[in-house]
Amino acid sequence: MHILTSTTALLAIPGAAAQLNQLAKAAGKLYFGSATDNNELSDSAYVKILKDSNMFGQITPGNGQKWQYTESSQGSFSYDSGDEIVNFAKTNNQIVRCHTLVWYSQLPSWVSDGSWSTSQLTSVVNTHIANEVGHYKGKCYSWDVVNEALNEDGTYRDNVFYKVLGESYIPLAFKVAAAADSSAKLYYNDYNIEGTGSKQAAAAKIVKLVKDAGAKIDGVGMQAHLIVGSIPSQSSLESAIKSYLSAGATEVAYTELDIRFSSLPASDSGLKQQADDYTTVTKACLANKACVGITIWDYTDKYSWIPSVFNGAGAALLWDENLKQKPAYTAVSSVLKAAATKSAVSDTATVTTLSTAIKPTATADACAVAKYGQCGGKGFSGCTACAAGASCAATNDYYSQCV
Ligand code: XIL
């Protein structure tokens, strides 16, 4: 009771507002994260926010781990760009979602334009994944193993992998990834699978396909590149999450969240709608324990990928181009804070997690991390004891979890 009172009081202090990752963890999630990119790391004002692990507990390299950069010519591997981001995260005690291994886009032409036999392309996929996952072994909380394999109607995208190997390239990729790093969580990742529909149903089938082939798949990543005012309803979002769990996934995440305006500039009422839409997605994740976290696809409109790809669209993120927090930031922060406070009231174990998240110096003997919370890992300075019924297990060098 004493802890509850002081924690709630702390959360309520204006100006000492808890930040997104702290709040997400206090609400029972593993992280709130952001994607970033190499060229952005020279912007010191940008980095100051990105490196704050109270704000972002997780980082995704926006480009550096893609095939185009890691194996631009056959058999010649380079990890400089990816390493820079992974090292940045490590320095700042942030976990990494590694992204991505098998994708039709940003794929070098030696792969996409090759005329392959099945055994040749199998070997190419094998070599690429074994090498890259091997390089990052122990450093990735998760891997997006296969990215965007589906068309909008739920049929398979006719990429080089599908053309040569059929759907079997998907379980193949998961098998090779699992063999190269048995502790990374392995994800299928795609967009327009956040709400129910043909593509979501097909993504659930992919989970089953991989499992039926005897391969390991842990999660489904819902990219969530959404449009202000036309996102799926919260119940549709929640049903989609449940469909992936029913198909055999043990977790899901929003992996690339941004909610764009189709035309600019955004009006005040538009910004309010955007805040409501971010609230809906955050609530859908909070509603299911298996939704482990939310990653925004960079945190500021200054570095969003949207304007370069969707003509005239933009302003999709939580911070504006001048690194000023937008109404959507306040909305996400409030909904996480409400969930954190609620779980503190309803669960004494979580009260202690909340207290630990806010005050990382809490002493070990006065703490107990709730199930699924972080309890250890390199650089972790929080509580290392688990609440009754859970024990602390290492996921990788950087992340131990109460399970
Ligand atoms: C985007 C990057 O943000 C851009 O910098 C790049 O030019 C293109 O790719 N789905 C994905 C991400 O899985 O890898 C994409 O990232 C956005 C869509």
Side-chain angles (χ1 to χ4, degrees):
M1 199 54 203
H2 163 78
I3 296 170
L4 171 62
T5 312
S6 59
T7 302
T8 311
L10 199 98
L11 282 169
I13 299 171
Q19 294 168 298
L20 299 178
N21 185 54
Q22 284 179 299
L23 292 170
K25 287 174 87 165
K29 302 292 128 186
L30 286 180
Y31 59 81
F32 193 98
S34 175
T36 190
D37 223 332
N38 301 79
N39 56 321
E40 298 159 22
L41 299 185
S42 54
D43 178 340
S44 58
Y46 167 86
V47 166
K48 191 167 180 237
I49 297 171
L50 184 74
K51 74 177 187 187
D52 178 357
S53 62
N54 287 330
M55 187 63 86
F56 300 115
Q58 177 273 322
I59 297 289
T60 306
N63 280 293
Q65 293 179 321
K66 293 171 179 174
W67 200 317
Q68 168 183 18
Y69 301 105
T70 54
E71 194 187 2
S72 57
S73 60
Q74 187 166 12
S76 152
F77 293 90
S78 163
Y79 295 110
D80 294 350
S81 301
D83 284 355
E84 188 186 10
I85 309 287
V86 170
N87 292 337
F88 174 91
K90 182 180 168 186
T91 304
N92 299 305
N93 297 325
Q94 295 161 314
I95 61 172
V96 182
R97 292 197 80 265
C98 290
H99 173 83
T100 179
L101 297 168
V102 178
W103 187 26
Y104 77 93
S105 183
Q106 297 187 272
L107 184 66
S109 54
W110 72 263
V111 184
S112 51
D113 298 349
S115 60
W116 306 108
S117 67
T118 55
S119 67
Q120 283 170 333
L121 191 58
T122 300
S123 158
V124 163
V125 168
N126 222 309
T127 304
H128 180 72
I129 296 177
N131 199 298
E132 178 155 9
V133 177
H135 177 81
Y136 287 109
K137 186 171 159 58
K139 297 185 173 172
C140 304
Y141 165 71
S142 59
W143 263 110
D144 290 331
V145 177
V146 175
N147 199 34
E148 302 181 355
L150 295 167
N151 294 315
E152 292 307 292
D153 65 359
T155 57
Y156 285 114
R157 210 184 265 277
D158 203 19
N159 59 34
V160 64
F161 307 107
Y162 186 72
K163 277 198 177 91
V164 178
L165 302 171
E167 67 181 14
S168 73
Y169 84 87
I170 299 175
L172 164 72
F174 279 86
K175 275 182 193 163
V176 182
D181 185 350
S182 59
S183 58
K185 305 276 186 186
L186 304 183
Y187 273 64
Y188 175 70
N189 194 53
D190 210 333
Y191 62 93
N192 287 351
I193 60 162
E194 300 78 25
T196 50
S198 316
K199 197 171 181 184
Q200 159 270 324
K205 269 197 195 154
I206 285 181
V207 174
K208 212 173 161 310
L209 170 79
V210 175
K211 289 195 91 82
D212 288 350
K216 175 176 118 108
I217 178 168
D218 299 289
V220 173
M222 301 167 289
Q223 292 184 7
H225 294 296
L226 303 171
I227 300 172
V228 172
S230 55
I231 71 162
S233 67
Q234 194 181 326
S235 72
S236 175
L237 295 171
E238 288 184 30
S239 299
I241 290 175
K242 285 185 190 141
S243 76
Y244 304 133
L245 301 172
S246 306
T250 52
E251 61 182 63
V252 300
Y254 290 108
T255 55
E256 305 183 12
L257 177 61
D258 51 22
I259 310 184
R260 64 184 179 268
F261 290 91
S262 301
S263 62
L264 295 168
S267 62
D268 285 351
S269 64
L271 288 168
K272 163 85 176 64
Q273 180 65 53
Q274 184 182 49
D276 289 349
D277 292 343
Y278 267 101
T279 297
T280 302
V281 177
T282 306
K283 281 186 172 169
C285 186
L286 286 166
N288 198 314
K289 244 189 172 151
C291 181
V292 295
I294 298 175
T295 308
I296 47 179
W297 203 242
D298 226 313
Y299 75 84
T300 159
D301 295 336
K302 185 173 184 182
Y303 294 123
S304 172
W305 73 302
I306 294 289
S308 65
V309 175
F310 299 93
N311 220 348
L317 293 164
L318 300 183
W319 279 256
D320 71 12
E321 299 201 350
N322 300 312
L323 307 185
K324 193 167 163 274
Q325 294 172 352
K326 292 157 66 175
Y329 174 90
T330 312
V332 171
S333 161
S334 308
V335 77
L336 290 174
K337 184 170 167 177
T341 310
K342 200 168 143 218
S343 62
V345 171
S346 65
D347 178 345
T348 43
T350 315
V351 170
T352 318
T353 306
L354 177 57
S355 159
T356 305
I358 306 301
K359 294 194 299 178
T361 48
T363 54
D365 58 3
C367 71
V369 177
K371 200 167 181 190
Y372 305 120
Q374 184 173 5
C375 54
K378 280 186 193 163
F380 177 72
S381 57
C383 175
T384 54
C386 296
S391 55
C392 190
T395 299
N396 58 44
D397 290 354
Y398 302 94
Y399 204 88
S400 298
Q401 187 182 20
C402 289
V403 286

